Amino acid sequence: MKKIGSSINQNSSFNKREDYQKELLRKLNAEKEKIKLGGGLKAIEKHKSKGKLTARERINKLLDNPKEFFELSSFAAWEMYEEHGGAPSAGTVYGVGKINSRFHVIVANDATVKAGAWFPITAKKNLRAQEIAMDNRMPIIYLVDSAGVFLPMQDEIFPDKEHFGRVFRNNAIMSSMGIPQIAAIMGPCVAGGAYLPIMSDEALIVEGEGSVFLAGSHLVKAAIGEIIDNESLGGAKVQSNISGVTDYVMKNDEECLAQIRSLTEKFGEQSKAGFNKTESKPPLFSPKEIYGLLPEDSTKPYDTYELISRIVDNSEIDEYKAGFGKTLITAYARIDGWAVGIIANQRNIVKTETGEMQVGGVIYSDSADKAARFIMNCNQKKIPLLFLQDVTGFMVGSRAEHGGIIKDGAKMVNAVANSVVPKITIIVGNSFGAGNYAMCGKAYDPRFIFAYPNAKIAVMGSSQAASVLLDIKIKQSAKGGEKSGEHPSEKDKQKLLNEITKAYDEKNSPLYAAARLWIDEIIDPALTREYVSTAIEVANNNPDMPRFNPGIIQT
């Protein structure tokens, strides 16, 4: 094992970077606290006046330790649907936590947000929760309290493959996979949404508040002229004692949640994937020092080994091909005792054995080739992969093209796509272009994908994109100027450049990505070890990994 040393001095530059990262984190946490209020204090007060718990209170009652809840997609729908009053956290709270010492996925509608109505991103969020349950063979608990589809946007949530109906399809698939599903009807459950709890293995319903029917009393009257109230139509006693649709009648939220804990406590043991784990050892350097390592300007270099030394156990790695393909670091290590294979972009400028200087954060042919071979090794040895992304893309230019960069890049992408061990991705800084793909972006099925508060996700950096877009606009303007005799001044060009850069920067921020579920969560860099360890422990629940076929990758 190679111990990674540190040459970081906690000087004024370190302190400036640290302050910058902490300020980003402070702003994110402030946004998260607003989001936790759901529909606002008045909506919460109205909800609780009915004797009901909020979505997060319900989840906390289920968990062994609420402080260890692994909440995901908390920024879903951030600054989206503003014309409809917004939808904090997409009106749904979900994550992974332990109930009776076993991991479960827990999904809870937040009825303080538009009565728990489903927006388009709400459907996507629920599908992601189910995907995590399926990928990791975890039981899933649904705490249902929803008015159904948000009708003004029904065309964006109803008919397509990744829309509302896919949720019920997943219910059926999970049942066939033997993944337990328990649903608690703790409020309205209407129309197509009624299938979610009833397609689960067991359904509980809270008396007086829970109801389930294909059409509510108003629609029944309009459709067939029958006059009936919702409780008589599909309340707890009707659906449990007359129709037999639900299985347990509960007096209130607390009793319902206690019953779920009682049911899950009796689940039998499942086999594990068997990923290697030993005693955990802390890094030699504090993870909190990561704040001072990362530059304020994402174009500036830094030594990625310094980052790794604050994440891995005892700051030790077994580095694979250390002297070859130096713009990518490939190494075996342990994080909280778990064996991992790390693929990280080296952000420092590196010097090759031939004296060539290679740009940090760029993937060259040799580094792509090295990464592909390392991924095959990890698959052969059943070692989960951790991608630390800070990539500006693949090398370009005649020399790179003549050297076969596309072929070598395709080899790496092929290896990532066909890898069967769990992949965990953290976007540490930049995530641009095809580099996002090669370093296991969302399209390549990482079990979990996280981002630091300073992350940027886009086709290219804002300065490059703004330059290209400005050039196009100037040419368009010049054509118009030929007719009018007017041409844009340097001042006009600078103003236009600033406008383009600002608009581009807004769309490459981690909040923009988190709102659209391109990432699972924006995380505190100091908690990287905890997130990676939990992700691997969760992934260890699924013993069914197909065999990796290295023959499909041309070497």
Side-chain angles (χ1 to χ4, degrees):
M1 299 287 283
K2 166 188 169 184
K3 271 194 171 58
I4 309 174
S6 178
S7 58
I8 291 294
N9 294 315
Q10 296 195 21
N11 52 23
S12 59
S13 295
F14 180 95
N15 294 333
K16 188 179 177 183
R17 292 192 295 267
E18 182 181 48
D19 289 344
Y20 175 78
Q21 297 297 334
K22 285 184 174 179
E23 179 63 11
L24 287 179
L25 196 60
R26 185 196 66 76
K27 290 178 179 177
L28 280 170
N29 288 335
E31 284 294 326
K32 192 174 283 189
E33 289 305 310
K34 288 182 195 174
I35 287 167
K36 285 182 179 179
L37 292 175
L41 292 174
K42 286 186 178 179
I44 291 172
E45 186 179 338
K46 181 180 178 182
H47 180 84
K48 297 185 79 129
S49 69
K50 301 174 184 177
K52 299 167 74 170
L53 299 172
T54 64
R56 285 185 171 82
E57 286 173 339
R58 287 167 174 170
I59 290 171
N60 288 345
K61 291 274 185 183
L62 277 179
L63 295 166
D64 296 345
N65 184 355
K67 291 182 180 179
E68 295 178 357
F69 184 54
F70 196 55
E71 184 175 348
L72 300 168
S73 304
S74 58
F75 292 102
W78 180 79
E79 290 195 346
M80 295 173 68
Y81 314 124
E82 295 298 310
E83 68 276 22
H84 298 294
S89 211
T92 301
V93 182
Y94 94 91
V96 175
K98 286 186 177 179
I99 304 173
N100 298 308
S101 301
R102 176 180 292 182
F103 277 118
H104 292 68
V105 177
I106 307 170
V107 188
N109 298 121
D110 185 351
T112 70
V113 180
K114 297 287 191 300
W118 286 49
F119 287 78
I121 207 71
T122 312
K124 189 175 180 181
K125 186 170 178 177
N126 277 265
L127 289 171
R128 177 62 180 141
Q130 291 181 319
E131 182 181 45
I132 289 171
M134 288 188 281
D135 284 347
N136 301 289
R137 297 296 192 276
M138 278 189 295
I140 184 166
I141 311 294
Y142 306 102
L143 305 179
V144 185
D145 193 345
S146 171
V149 167
F150 185 65
L151 289 178
M153 303 187 75
Q154 63 83 26
D155 60 314
E156 297 181 44
I157 187 174
F158 169 64
D160 209 350
K161 181 179 178 181
E162 301 300 327
H163 284 179
F164 196 52
R166 186 79 170 184
V167 172
F168 319 133
R169 174 264 188 194
N170 286 351
N171 285 139
I173 295 297
M174 278 191 277
S175 287
S176 71
M177 293 170 67
I179 297 172
Q181 300 174 82
I182 293 178
I185 302 167
M186 310 178 87
C189 187
V190 187
Y195 286 104
L196 185 149
I198 308 311
M199 291 189 72
S200 298
D201 302 306
E202 293 184 272
L204 303 85
I205 186 167
V206 177
E207 193 172 0
E209 287 299 330
S211 58
V212 55
F213 31 65
L214 292 181
S217 55
H218 293 295
L219 186 53
V220 166
K221 182 180 178 182
I224 63 174
E226 181 182 0
I227 299 174
I228 189 170
D229 62 82
N230 283 339
E231 188 67 23
S232 302
L233 180 66
K237 288 188 176 178
V238 169
Q239 295 291 28
S240 294
N241 301 340
I242 297 175
S243 70
V245 167
T246 53
D247 307 307
Y248 305 88
V249 178
M250 301 286 107
K251 291 179 182 177
N252 51 43
D253 281 9
E254 286 85 353
E255 185 180 73
C256 184
L257 297 166
Q259 182 66 50
I260 293 173
R261 282 189 59 87
S262 180
L263 292 170
T264 57
E265 188 264 336
K266 298 170 180 66
F267 288 174
E269 286 296 320
Q270 300 287 336
S271 56
K272 304 288 185 184
F275 302 126
N276 187 280
K277 190 175 195 298
T278 59
E279 181 185 355
S280 176
K281 296 177 182 178
L284 298 179
F285 313 100
S286 171
K288 289 185 178 180
E289 291 177 357
I290 295 173
Y291 302 136
L293 297 176
L294 303 174
E296 307 103 300
D297 183 348
S298 65
T299 65
K300 300 296 183 185
Y302 63 92
D303 190 351
T304 304
Y305 287 103
E306 296 278 5
L307 171 65
I308 294 171
S309 71
R310 287 156 177 83
I311 294 174
V312 302
D313 288 14
N314 212 31
S315 300
E316 289 181 326
I317 60 173
D318 290 313
E319 188 168 5
Y320 175 77
K321 290 186 181 289
F324 180 75
K326 291 182 178 180
T327 62
L328 272 180
I329 299 168
T330 50
Y332 304 104
R334 290 191 182 275
I335 296 177
D336 194 28
W338 291 104
V340 295
I342 297 173
I343 300 176
N345 300 108
Q346 171 58 294
R347 281 307 314 275
N348 256 350
I349 295 173
V350 300
K351 187 176 182 180
T352 68
E353 296 301 316
T354 61
E356 177 192 0
M357 304 302 289
Q358 292 187 340
V359 180
V362 175
I363 301 174
Y364 289 76
S365 282
D366 54 357
S367 47
D369 178 80
K370 176 172 79 168
R373 293 171 185 274
F374 183 71
I375 290 167
M376 288 190 277
N377 288 349
C378 288
N379 275 269
Q380 183 187 51
K381 299 169 184 175
K382 205 161 77 170
I383 299 174
L385 286 161
L386 171 63
F387 292 83
L388 298 176
Q389 269 200 31
D390 195 343
V391 58
T392 53
F394 284 89
M395 191 58 192
V396 297
S398 60
R399 185 173 178 180
E401 296 293 354
H402 298 171
I405 186 65
I406 294 176
K407 171 177 62 68
D408 290 319
K411 188 192 303 179
M412 181 178 174
V413 170
N414 200 332
V416 172
N418 286 287
S419 176
V420 297
V421 294
K423 296 169 289 192
I424 300 151
T425 300
I426 300 177
I427 302 172
V428 172
N430 301 310
S431 180
F432 297 155
N436 170 283
Y437 303 154
M439 290 295 291
C440 198
K442 185 65 182 288
Y444 288 78
D445 297 323
R447 292 289 179 95
F448 296 97
I449 179 168
F450 307 114
Y452 285 176
N454 60 302
K456 295 182 184 297
I457 305 166
V459 170
M460 62 181 75
S462 57
S463 59
Q464 297 96 322
S467 178
V468 171
L469 292 170
L470 178 65
D471 189 48
I472 293 169
K473 285 183 177 288
I474 288 172
K475 286 178 180 177
Q476 290 172 341
S477 179
K479 285 181 180 179
E482 288 172 3
K483 297 177 181 177
S484 64
E486 295 180 2
H487 294 278
S489 66
E490 289 302 316
K491 186 178 179 180
D492 290 336
K493 289 179 185 178
Q494 188 59 50
K495 182 183 177 183
L496 188 56
L497 180 65
N498 292 339
E499 289 173 355
I500 293 170
T501 302
K502 182 182 177 184
Y504 198 87
D505 280 339
E506 286 173 356
K507 291 186 178 182
N508 69 16
S509 78
L511 274 169
Y512 191 89
R516 289 153 183 81
L517 307 190
W518 302 345
I519 54 176
D520 289 318
E521 194 64 25
I522 306 171
I523 67 171
D524 181 345
L527 299 178
T528 301
R529 281 172 55 83
E530 287 83 347
Y531 274 88
V532 174
S533 176
T534 302
I536 297 174
E537 187 179 356
V538 165
N540 197 42
N541 283 296
N542 183 1
D544 302 322
M545 287 194 305
R547 183 177 294 277
F548 181 69
N549 181 7
I552 60 177
I553 299 169
Q554 296 179 358
T555 58

